[in-house]
Amino acid sequence: MTSRATSVRPRPRRPIRHLLVGLTVALVAALTPPGGSTPAQAAPTLLSQGRPATASSTENAGTPAAAAVDGNTGTRWASAFSDPQWLQVDLGARATITQVNLLWEGAYGRAFQLQTSDDGTTWTTIYSTTTGAGGTQNLTVTGAGRYVRMYGTARGTGYGYSLWEFQVYGESGGTTPTCGSTNVAQGSPATASSTQDAGLAASAAVDGNPGTRWASAASDPQWLRVDLGSTRTICRVTLTWEAAYARSFQLQTSADGTTWTTIYSTTTGAGGTQNLTVTGSGRYLRMYGTARGTAYGYSLWELAVNTTGGTTEPPVGTTDPYNPNLGANTFVFDPGTPTSTIQSRLNTLFTQQETNQFGPQRYAVLFKPGTYTADVNLGFFTQVAGLGMSPDDVNLNGHVRVEAAWFGGNATQNFWRAAENLSVTLPAGVSVERWAVSQAAPYRRMHLRGAQNQIQLWNGGDGWSSGGLMADTRVDGLVVSGSQQQWYSRNSEFGNGWTGSVWNMVFQGVNGAPAPSFPNPSHTVIAQTPQVREKPFLYVDGSGEYRVFVPALRTNSTGTSWYNKTPAGSSISLSQFYVVQPGTSAATINAALAQGRHLLFTPGVHHVTEPIQVNRADTVVLGLGLATIQADNGSVGMRVADVDGVKVAGLMFEAGTTNSPVLMEVGPAGSSASHAGNPTSLHDVFFRIGGPHVGKATNTLTVNSDNVIGDHMWLWRADHAAQGVPTGWTLNTADTGLTVNGDNVTMYGLFVEHYQKYQTIWNGNGGRTYFYQNELPYDPPNQAAWMNGSTRGYAAYKVADSVTSHQAFGLGSYSYFNVNPAVVEERSFEVPVNPNVRFTNMVTVSLGGVGTINRVINNAGGTANAANQTVYLTTYP
């Protein structure tokens, strides 16, 4: 708005007495509210105008942050065209905030939070929306802090965020603290009056896992107590009850754990989830139950405690690269460690993890350069890795193996484990190394020594196995596929070749691969890998410093990146990483990222209630021990900006019990920048919806950026679960596994299973997939429940009609409609008819004849059913 001068005609002067009377009457009227005599409160003050402002980015020099707090509605701040973005104002002193006005230009925030902070680092959200509509928003809020920011997570247009004015109202000097969002009880020591059994311990109610619980004996009274470590001012307690709830209970605090003060009491508790606003302080908090709501004991999935003053996370600290804290579940051995100590630890881990496919435990076993004697038998959620620059820097005399004895010789559930960056010399007189795995179990950057030896991908006489990855690996001897149903080998070297096949074996850039032959034997051979970056890895240099090596891009490559050659790439000191421990909030993780740090996740389940935002080009996010990020309260697990060269590796993303719109997003919607010279890459990134609890997510992974590389990923809607945790059509719900909207995206070794609509949707041009493994959902209750309009079921791999170029090689899709075998899928691959959309070597299978796949691709290929269980098609069109 532009102001203009106006002329005013002079008015006659009044006598002074009349003027004073008039002012007095006006003042009284102003201070007297209608219908009463109580003076009105003073109006809040505009605190932000002219104060220092900063922003995450600016569109150009003419749209700086300061323009949003200059009082001129004709100037504006505008950000870059990506998410997230923020605008922050420093009020100069702590203030009580009562109102924030946002005067949006046409480029507005659809999803954003208003946040306050006392130090500009730790933030408390005081307003949040995902349905912003732009225009002028006058928002009444309650909060306090020196700093106030608008934190935008989803833009309303294809442009950035743009504000004519950002107006913060309140009163300076405010001292009212806000109730923080961090659960300070999570991970704290907990005790109880009793437990129902050893599997229902007090600690299960403060572990951040909504699938574990504490349960007491079936008598009154009973209590659960948590030690917060120091005296805290408590403002909110959330109780998430299992069916056995408390009808009468108190919340109590104590400074010493002996003398208690009641801060909340009820005799009409109804269970469920109770969010209780309280006022009290103490080091200890307990729930003291005096009357049960059922005949059973008291049972809490979670007890959460929030305190005043915003989050209580410590400042982002430094990492000592010579003595880093890699977490309680990381075990690092050196050549001086006694062999008996190493083997004892390995045996203990295997005993615990052999059948523990849905537990929260995660482990990494790391060997510094040297020679060892060890038998590494890998169970669930265990990673074994060498800490050398080359696999040959660490040699294990013994085994690195996976067996399937726990499941009667059937290896089709041997998921979630990894062997990396090691060489193995088998014991004298032994010539077979067994690697009986299915999905999410990479054998990567390994060297199995000895031309007389073989690695056996399971034995058909013992049972089936169902898919895996071998990458950047050298086997001096022979690879025997055995009962493996499908397998993907990339950039590896087989000294004595490969033997065997079942349905779908794909070899890419492999020296020693068998001759191309499909379908008998079912060998798809691609001579080179067009563009790939190997997975980043942790190592220790000659001085004892921990570093992360980031391999360079390779083009049209064959063989390994390391055998008889010097690996190309860059090395980053661990001092430049923030080492994330379980219990660290997403706010702290994001603060570390904002300071330019990379991330190393230690083994464990990391719960987040807001997205991890990776905004800086070339950021490395690396997990140890299959570290898991669980998206709670309907959050997104991670968002990656539309920038060059981000690497995400060695992580699993887990859906929480509240539905998430997506678990991981690479690039915001509408991303269009080219990253051809430095693509973002995802390595050994896995996703799970259901299993340890009833998880839900509409979409799992959405790729909006161009030129992204996927290097071994498994996206899984659970078909089975932990004992006592159900799965089913209306329980662990998930529409789609992978959605690709970006152009020139390449997937190497892609596994997507059991989703309720399309398993994979590809909307971008120039896409390529090398090896695809899919099982359709087991559990459609009937055909009517699984219809895509008038089409029976949804394709396993859908290329949008608008796509003009796409290639895919070595694809398998399988049906097992065990809830209702009469269900039919019309086709597994659905693509536009275009000479530049080409599919090579496909197979469909009706597993055991349970269910029908009517056609392979579009209307081509035969029917897979009980009478004809396996159907092959070599080319389309």
Side-chain angles (χ1 to χ4, degrees), residues 410-423:
N410 187 332
T412 56
Q413 290 186 25
N414 272 1
F415 312 141
W416 303 309
R417 61 200 79 198
E420 301 178 61
N421 202 29
L422 293 162
S423 67

Side-chain angles (χ1 to χ4, degrees), residues 319-324 368-369 387 538-548 571-576:
T319 298
D320 179 355
Y322 292 93
N323 188 31
K368 290 184 177 182
L387 291 172
L538 184 68
Y539 75 102
V540 178
D541 71 9
S543 71
E545 181 180 16
Y546 284 79
R547 304 181 68 88
V548 171
S571 178
I572 307 170
S573 171
L574 205 61
S575 64
Q576 298 181 47

Side-chain angles (χ1 to χ4, degrees), residues 111-190:
F112 65 89
Q113 295 94 50
L114 298 177
Q115 300 174 324
T116 60
S117 175
D118 287 322
D119 58 8
T121 300
T122 300
W123 295 90
T124 298
T125 297
I126 60 173
Y127 174 83
S128 180
T129 184
T130 59
T131 58
T136 297
Q137 294 181 270
N138 299 315
L139 304 173
T140 300
V141 297
T142 300
R146 172 175 171 171
Y147 302 88
V148 182
R149 75 176 179 181
M150 184 288 299
Y151 189 83
T153 56
R155 294 163 289 138
T157 72
Y159 300 97
Y161 297 81
S162 183
L163 283 165
W164 294 112
E165 283 294 292
F166 180 54
Q167 300 172 333
V168 179
Y169 290 86
E171 297 181 21
S172 294
T175 58
T176 302
T178 58
C179 195
S181 59
T182 296
N183 176 11
V184 299
Q186 187 170 316
S188 297

Side-chain angles (χ1 to χ4, degrees), residues 559-845:
T560 70
S561 66
W562 55 270
Y563 186 72
N564 285 339
K565 58 183 73 110
T566 300
S570 59
S571 178
I572 307 170
S573 171
L574 205 61
S575 64
Q576 298 181 47
F577 281 73
Y578 178 61
V579 180
V580 185
Q581 307 290 343
T584 304
S585 72
T588 297
I589 296 169
N590 287 333
L593 289 166
Q595 294 175 21
R597 305 281 282 278
H598 306 278
L599 300 177
L600 181 72
F601 282 84
T602 60
V605 179
H606 301 260
H607 294 266
V608 299
T609 55
E610 61 181 280
I612 297 170
Q613 305 276 355
V614 182
N615 298 328
R616 182 174 53 86
D618 296 313
T619 299
V620 176
V621 181
L622 179 61
L624 295 179
L626 292 92
T628 299
I629 295 171
Q630 181 171 312
D632 291 329
N633 298 344
S635 175
V636 176
M638 180 178 289
R639 283 195 169 106
V640 178
D642 190 28
V643 295
D644 276 357
V646 173
K647 298 92 181 170
V648 180
L651 289 173
M652 187 163 87
F653 289 85
E654 181 109 83
T657 56
T658 301
N659 187 73
S660 292
V662 65
L663 294 185
M664 184 181 188
E665 183 182 67
V666 181
S671 295
S672 59
S674 173
H675 308 291
N678 187 12
T680 284
S681 52
L682 313 178
H683 312 266
D684 298 341
V685 178
F686 311 131
F687 300 85
R688 184 168 69 182
I689 299 172
H693 52 261
V694 180
K696 302 172 185 288
T698 305
N699 300 292
T700 302
L701 170 64
T702 298
V703 177
N704 294 314
S705 288
D706 295 345
N707 311 106
V708 173
I709 294 173
D711 172 28
H712 187 219
M713 294 187 297
W714 185 34
L715 294 75
W716 188 63
R717 174 181 167 259
D719 60 76
H720 64 282
Q723 186 175 5
V725 177
T727 59
W729 193 249
T730 61
L731 296 173
N732 58 314
T733 53
D735 283 357
T736 304
L738 172 66
T739 302
V740 178
N741 297 319
D743 292 338
N744 303 312
V745 171
T746 303
M747 294 287 162
Y748 299 106
L750 177 60
F751 301 73
V752 187
E753 295 191 295
H754 307 309
Y755 289 86
Q756 294 175 287
K757 294 184 178 179
Y758 290 120
Q759 311 292 301
T760 296
I761 302 173
W762 210 294
N763 297 314
N765 276 310
R768 293 174 295 185
T769 294
Y770 299 94
F771 182 89
Y772 184 72
Q773 188 264 327
N774 161 258
E775 281 187 357
L776 298 165
Y778 288 178
D779 52 349
N782 50 58
Q783 192 69 62
W786 199 49
M787 292 290 292
N788 182 11
S790 60
T791 301
R792 293 178 293 182
Y794 288 81
Y797 193 110
K798 165 71 174 178
V799 180
D801 294 345
S802 59
V803 171
T804 58
S805 58
H806 189 91
Q807 297 181 65
F809 303 83
L811 305 100
S813 177
Y814 316 126
S815 71
Y816 184 66
F817 301 131
N818 63 340
V819 173
N820 188 337
V823 169
V824 177
E825 184 205 35
E826 191 60 43
R827 60 187 63 91
S828 277
F829 306 102
E830 188 172 295
V831 305
V833 180
N834 185 304
N836 293 318
V837 177
R838 302 191 304 275
F839 277 59
T840 302
N841 293 357
M842 294 158 278
V843 59
T844 58
V845 182

Side-chain angles (χ1 to χ4, degrees), residues 57-65 76-81 85 105 107 159-162:
S57 66
T58 56
E59 181 181 353
N60 55 54
T63 56
R76 64 187 176 95
W77 162 70
S79 78
F81 300 176
Q85 301 289 342
E105 193 249 3
Y159 300 97
Y161 297 81
S162 183

